[in-house]
Amino acid sequence: MEYNFREIEPKWQNFWRENKTFKAEIREDKPKYYVLDMFPYPSGAGLHVGHPLGYIASDIFSRYKRLQGFNVLHPMGYDAYGLPAEQYAIQTGQHPAITTENNINRYRSQLDILGLSYDWDREVRTCDDKYYKWTQWTFLKLFGSYYCNDAQKARPIEELISVFEKEGNQNINAATTQSEKFSAEEWKNFSDKEKADVLMNYRIAYLSDSMVNWCSELGTVLANDEVVNGVSVRGGYPVERKSMRQWSLRITAYAERLLNDLDTLDWTDSLKEIQRNWIGKSQGAAVYFKLENGESLEVFTTRADTLFGVTFMVLCPEHEMITSLTTQEQKEEVEKYVSWAKNRSERERQAEVKKVSGVFTGSYAIHPLSGERVPIWISDYVLAGYGTGAVMAVPAHDSRDFAFAKHFNLPIKQVVVPHGEQEEDTSLWQESKDSKAGKVINSDFLNGLDVKDAIKTAIQYIEDKNLGYGTVNYRLRDAIYSRQRYWGEPFPIYYKDGIATPISESELPLLLPEVDKYLPTESGEPPIARAKNWQTKDGYPYDCNTMPGFAGSNAYSIRYMDPNNTEALVSKEANQYWQNVDLYIGGSEHATGHLLYSRFITKFLFDIGAVCKQEPYQKLINQGMIQGRSNFVYRVKGINKFVSYNLKGEFETDPIHVDINIVDNDVLDIEKFREWREEFKNADFVLEDGKYICGYEIEKMSKSLYNVQNPDDLVEKYGADTLRLYEMFLGPLEQSKPWDTKGIEGVSRFIRKFWRLYHDKDNNYTLSEEAATKDELKALHKTIKKVQEDIERFSFNTSISTFMICVNELSDLKCNKKEILEPLCILLSPFAPHITEELWNLMGNKTSISFASFPAFDESVLVENTFKYPISINGKMRANIEIALGISQEEVEKIVLANAEVQKYIDGKPIKKIIFVPKKIVNVVV
RNA sequence: GCAUCUGUGGCGGAAUAGGUAGACGCGCUAGACUCAAAAUCUAGUGGGGUAACACCCGUGCCGGUUCGAUUCCGGCCAGAUGUACCA
């Protein structure tokens, strides 16, 4: 009998559950460490081997930190609101809560068999009213706050109201869409509705008519990060631009802080870079162009140095000044163009980026510096959402303006000469010169300046003459926060005489109502509108939208600190103790969604004093994706005959995906294949060496490609410890890699070998109390040192290699000494918790291994009195010489030169130099 | 187009501070045990070369710094990911 994981693994899982071994409580005597996994959306498909990768890694680190004496918080929960459950509800009528509950139970059982050390008492579910009460509470706070640019933080909206009453909004510097100024007097005379409308322009959570990504297939709007290439991320349905009244969050107010604080985080450069790009800060200038009708048009530019190169202006088709600008002659054409542009779907627009289109308004602006007349055009290459929705076109130095000028035959004026070039005839150009280095020409007072200096000088000039001002623009947009769906958090808002009014905090949570169908109403209202009595006691209607998928995950890491608190999101005490997440593990696909939104919300909660940290996740590791490895069989065209991979060239074949569970090391199990599907029952095969070899390809892991590897099957076959080790052994945590079961035998062998160290031939536990030998101690301490270093840098694959070497050495030494094997058992416990708990118990220990301390590394065991010096001659390794440590460089050189092997290579030539690197190498240059 | 990352045997991958490249595992080859198989154990396994050594070549490509480069610098090529009319 060998190591029996089928009996031992459930035994210890039960032990941990019953003893609440991993329960985390505030303990002032211990330092805290908070390890968090991105909680999963419980989909109907269950877990595949890709999901546990991060969970196993975080579990190893949690267990390691516990051994080091840290009080570890390691919770898990479910991001339970989401589209799939709702889509399923629409099709079947089954309540999404039931689907979700079932899926969660399946997830839980799959997680349990992996032996993960979660504190399940802290589980959260975003669809649980006790949880979403705080999602709604956060929304009320966002609604009740504005962002003060002077203080650089969120402030209560009441403060703003009292300022309005005293002095109007003349001196307010806040993040707002309010452009009209008013006095205290005017404010007092506003109607309630007017006041509410003004305040709405300042709130951090606000209602506005905004251009949204509307997906009619899903019947809802989507955030920018939920749309890729003009189609929805979920489902791949077309998305169009549409103006709708929606809730938004003023995340743009936090752009600067979100950008700057990236520097304080221990994240990978690539992830920080993704966020920086998404925020997209650009420094530049706003410039006013006077119009002939007396109005003024504001544009944003990063290239104020090229002002004299402006030969036309372009407005986006949505620009509000189009009507007033269009002349009578151009009216018809402009209207035609604008309606054409508005009706294009996002996808069409993106697909035809290179096609130039546009129309002339008939009007002109006056160039602020030269006084020349500049024609004003309309084109959809100018985006409504960025800057002012209008640009000054400098065709000579901007490729888009250039393409436009070429297409409509507009003048092109060169104002920058790149270093080492001469001014050229722009009519001969095939492309613009966009480079940001060179000397300015044809530009009056800017002539001769370098681009960089010219930008500064130009901005200074326009500021002095009141023609504009230096400013900053961000690409980041406010987050659209409402969805026209059922399965989400209702907004704690009702409408009193058309004014959006918050319900009081004491009425939270506002429960998600029951509905008869999960579809929009006949009049096109969201599904919640179907609910009976969806109104306050006084009969005012509630908001019918629900919050988006990311709402529930914004502050979940904070809620885990105090998940059962009914009085607050988190108590001061719990928040002070747990602070924020020390280690966060999850996929990088959340870079511009969850990771940005939750940073924003955490900063907001910090501003209102609800939490003590500005950043939610101090260190972040993105585990790589595990791709699927699909197998193929090759069917001869037209007949039911299959050709082995290497012989398929002789036939005309179609590759067909075959279930990887009936393929072993690319060899097809023909019997199982025949049973797999009715149509293959009578199939013929052309074999090679008596086997049918399948082809393979690396693809996404997906049910439809028959390449999903289920962790349960592997646990059943090899045990959880082996699966844990193997997932880590597969390669570096952060790298994407294809799943491949080939190597799992190797770690399975290692586990059995490890077990055998503690047992004799008949599988009886035998450890001796004898003192360990020098070699045994060396093997152990070498391992302690390296494993600790490897864990610290999350190189779990190499730590496992180190364990393998150690076990091999101890097997060779026939070591069965407790002095060695007890610390080794502790050392391995984060990786393989079940087998080590069993051995720990066999060794006579009463408590769980989690409370043991990490084995101390004894340097003295590894100290040698001699060192093997590699000797290189002219940089090439030629010999090894054993030399006592601590002797002088001169002596080392003497010994080296006296060596016969070395003499052979020096071959009598004069020695130019000897380079001696202590403990490393001696290099002789001849 | 732009940004970030990656490129090492038949395969997954080591090499932590510029110092004997290929640890560890898989696979493969031979052998031991066995009637046989499984399991286990032993030896070998980058390429060329040799009876065996010696020796030569080798970390995507080209160049640089250095006594010495997988590692640092410059330029290219390829792949992955993200993002894209952001003025």
Side-chain angles (χ1 to χ4, degrees), chain A residues 105-116:
Chain A
N105 291 338
R106 168 139 170 71
Y107 264 60
R108 176 64 193 273
S109 67
Q110 284 190 297
L111 289 172
D112 278 348
I113 59 168
L114 293 171
L116 302 168

Side-chain angles (χ1 to χ4, degrees), chain A residues 252-273:
Chain A
T252 48
Y254 284 81
E256 192 65 24
R257 283 165 70 187
L258 288 168
L259 188 66
N260 289 338
D261 289 352
L262 280 174
D263 295 337
T264 68
L265 297 177
D266 194 6
W267 294 12
T268 60
D269 288 340
S270 74
L271 199 77
K272 288 186 188 179
E273 204 55 34

Side-chain angles (χ1 to χ4, degrees), chain A residues 446-643:
Chain A
L446 296 174
N447 281 341
L449 289 174
D450 224 60
V451 165
K452 260 192 183 164
D453 300 327
I455 292 175
K456 277 187 211 148
T457 313
I459 293 177
Q460 192 59 52
Y461 184 88
I462 59 168
E463 280 185 352
D464 290 348
K465 304 262 177 207
N466 256 333
L467 300 168
Y469 54 95
T471 186
V472 169
N473 245 300
Y474 299 93
R475 227 181 66 178
L476 185 70
R477 306 289 150 82
D478 280 346
I480 309 282
Y481 206 59
S482 41
R483 298 289 181 274
Q484 291 66 48
R485 304 292 300 193
Y486 172 71
W487 191 228
E489 301 87 349
F491 284 88
I493 295 285
Y494 64 92
Y495 293 90
K496 188 179 175 182
D497 308 326
I499 296 172
T501 314
I503 67 174
S504 79
E505 282 184 28
S506 60
E507 289 174 71
L508 293 175
L510 179 62
L511 296 175
L512 180 64
E514 295 299 325
V515 294
D516 54 347
K517 269 194 248 167
Y518 304 98
L519 287 168
T521 64
E522 280 62 38
S523 57
E525 288 214 76
I528 288 198
R530 290 176 176 275
K532 282 188 198 118
N533 297 324
W534 187 233
Q535 55 189 26
T536 62
K537 287 192 286 293
D538 309 326
Y540 298 117
Y542 285 124
D543 193 290
C544 291
N545 296 293
T546 50
M547 297 185 200
F550 59 83
S553 58
N554 283 334
Y556 81 116
S557 71
I558 294 161
R559 187 64 183 162
Y560 276 134
M561 296 173 189
D562 197 6
N564 301 313
N565 192 329
T566 54
E567 300 304 312
L569 170 66
V570 60
S571 71
K572 284 265 175 303
E573 188 202 10
N575 184 244
Q576 270 302 325
Y577 183 75
W578 297 111
Q579 303 264 315
N580 61 359
V581 176
D582 294 285
L583 174 67
Y584 196 30
I585 296 189
S588 60
E589 66 272 19
H590 298 108
T592 54
H594 161 64
L595 286 174
L596 196 63
Y597 295 127
S598 57
R599 288 185 62 218
F600 154 52
I601 294 296
T602 304
K603 286 181 188 306
F604 170 75
L605 292 171
F606 173 83
D607 286 354
I608 64 168
V611 301
C612 64
K613 282 277 188 178
Q614 290 231 33
E615 287 287 343
Y617 319 115
Q618 192 53 44
K619 181 176 174 65
L620 179 82
I621 289 187
N622 294 123
Q623 91 274 30
M625 268 236 296
I626 294 210
Q627 294 138 311
R629 188 178 186 281
S630 312
N631 275 113
F632 292 90
V633 291
Y634 301 89
R635 180 164 63 190
V636 181
K637 269 201 162 55
I639 51 173
N640 203 10
K641 186 174 189 171
F642 295 85
V643 190

